[in-house]
């Protein structure tokens, strides 16, 4: 589990939460929570004493929660075959 200092070091170097998370092998939302003490999904309302000043995130921190899955093995030829096969199935062919 990364520490607050590890996440802050990457952020202070100008990295985003997404990159910090990737570097530390955690989801971006978790990197946000480690750095700020607040969940990225806004599931908790901090009291004024808990607020920290952070660089604003365009669109808010919610975007860090449940990012789209990355499929590094996605292949254009395979995707074309799947589309063609699905089209044949819709037409009743095999």
């Amino acid at each position: 589990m990364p520490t607050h200092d590890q996440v802050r070091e990457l952020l202070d170097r100008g990295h985003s939460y997404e990159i910090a998370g990737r570097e530390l092998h955690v989801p971006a939302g978790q990197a946000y929570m480690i750095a700020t003490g607040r969940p990225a999904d806004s599931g908790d309302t901090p009291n004024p004493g808990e607020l920290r000043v952070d660089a604003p995130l365009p669109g808010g921190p919610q975007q860090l929660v449940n990012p789209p899955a990355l499929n590094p093995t996605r292949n254009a030829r395979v995707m074309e075959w799947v589309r063609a096969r699905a089209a044949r199935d819709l037409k009743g062919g095999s």
Side-chain angles (χ1 to χ4, degrees):
M1 173 66 67
T3 66
H4 171 81
D5 291 340
Q6 288 173 310
V7 177
R8 290 304 319 178
E9 180 183 339
L10 291 169
L11 296 174
D12 291 346
R13 284 199 252 149
H15 295 299
S16 66
Y17 286 104
E18 290 89 348
I19 293 173
R22 197 172 323 133
E23 290 287 320
L24 298 169
H25 308 287
V26 297
Q30 191 171 353
Y32 178 84
M33 187 171 199
I34 292 168
T36 66
R38 297 187 308 268
D41 67 358
S42 303
D44 185 29
T45 305
N47 68 47
E50 293 176 319
L51 293 174
R52 297 182 189 158
V53 177
D54 293 308
L57 289 171
Q62 183 70 37
Q63 67 188 341
L64 301 174
V65 179
N66 298 324
L70 172 66
N71 182 354
T73 61
R74 188 173 199 121
N75 180 299
R77 281 188 8 216
V78 172
M79 295 308 296
E80 183 53 40
W81 178 87
V82 170
R83 279 192 278 284
R85 176 62 192 255
R88 283 195 309 269
D89 287 350
L90 287 174
K91 293 178 185 177
S94 52

